Amino acid sequence: MRLLETIHILDGEVLNLHYHQRRMDESRHTLGYTSPLLLKLDPPKQGEFRCRVIYEEELEKIEYIPYQKKEINRFKLVHSNIDYSLKYEDRSEIDQLFRHKCEADEIIIIKNGLVTDTSIANLCFFDGREWWTPQYPLLKGTTRQRLLDTNRIKCADIHYNEIASFSKIAVMNAMTDFTIIENAIIL
């Protein structure tokens, strides 16, 4: 199965490359590939881009796509037993879940009663003192890992019934970094 890595490019700068390289190495190791696959990028020098890297045993494709931020305010809870522990190029299972969003902008995927991720980002919840991210996300995102490494967020099991007890919700991924959703609505 081909894997995907999404990297934020801003005015020619490759952001947080170390975390992306580490996830690629770990993902390839999980698939049984042990030889190094060094990522060398030559991004556009001006503008904001989503660098889309497709790989498996070898690097297969690199694309630079102009980035437009998606506005997210309303979430729909969707229950599933999906397994997305590696960032696969094939997102058909996630896309199928996303079709259940109804009037929402984004979904929150619930697995075994616990909050995991949205279709495109990890989640974080503010309890008035600290930010908490789900202990078991569908995918361990690079931004999530960077914020854990710097002690800006902490992990916990978050049951879907507990979402309303938090005062704020944030989404985080390579492209949005850590974005607080003001006045988030759960449908």
Side-chain angles (χ1 to χ4, degrees):
M1 295 216 101
R2 293 181 354 160
L3 299 173
L4 167 67
E5 194 64 28
T6 303
I7 303 170
H8 193 173
I9 307 292
L10 185 59
D11 293 331
E13 182 181 352
V14 180
L15 302 179
N16 304 303
L17 181 59
H18 166 74
Y19 283 95
H20 294 286
Q21 183 69 59
R22 186 165 78 185
R23 180 167 61 189
M24 288 176 63
D25 293 343
E26 290 170 359
S27 297
R28 290 180 71 254
H29 184 75
T30 298
L31 296 177
Y33 307 120
T34 56
S35 61
L37 179 63
L38 294 178
L39 190 56
K40 296 199 184 277
L41 302 175
D42 185 23
K45 301 300 180 216
Q46 290 186 325
E48 189 170 16
F49 293 85
R50 177 171 56 101
C51 176
R52 190 171 188 268
V53 178
I54 305 297
Y55 68 100
E56 193 173 353
E57 183 174 8
E58 300 293 329
L59 188 61
E60 296 186 20
K61 186 178 189 181
I62 297 175
E63 300 175 289
Y64 299 99
I65 303 163
Y67 178 65
Q68 290 284 80
K69 187 173 182 177
K70 175 182 174 181
E71 287 297 320
I72 301 172
N73 294 301
R74 299 172 299 166
F75 295 91
K76 170 80 172 162
L77 302 183
V78 176
H79 295 260
S80 175
N81 286 322
I82 187 172
D83 177 16
Y84 194 72
S85 56
L86 297 177
K87 190 170 180 171
Y88 295 108
E89 178 189 29
D90 179 0
R91 292 178 39 90
S92 57
E93 285 186 82
I94 290 176
D95 293 342
Q96 187 172 357
L97 293 175
F98 189 74
R99 289 186 194 103
H100 296 283
K101 73 178 180 73
C102 300
E103 300 298 316
D105 305 309
E106 185 54 78
I107 60 174
I108 294 177
I109 302 168
I110 309 299
K111 186 172 180 177
N112 300 322
L114 298 175
V115 174
T116 62
D117 294 325
T118 73
S119 71
I120 59 168
N122 294 128
L123 288 160
C124 226
F125 299 88
F126 189 65
D127 68 3
R129 291 181 341 122
E130 301 196 76
W131 284 98
W132 297 93
T133 190
Q135 179 75 34
Y136 301 104
L138 291 181
L139 180 70
K140 293 179 179 178
T142 58
T143 299
R144 176 184 181 273
Q145 189 59 55
R146 180 172 47 84
L147 296 175
L148 285 168
D149 289 350
T150 57
N151 298 313
R152 290 184 51 204
I153 64 174
K154 296 182 178 187
C155 289
D157 285 341
I158 302 171
H159 194 274
Y160 75 93
N161 289 338
E162 298 172 322
I163 293 174
S165 69
F166 293 97
S167 60
K168 296 180 185 176
I169 297 175
V171 293
M172 53 187 160
N173 67 26
M175 296 305 300
T176 65
D177 198 55
F178 186 88
T179 302
I180 298 171
I181 308 299
E182 299 293 340
N183 304 311
I185 298 168
I186 309 292
L187 301 176

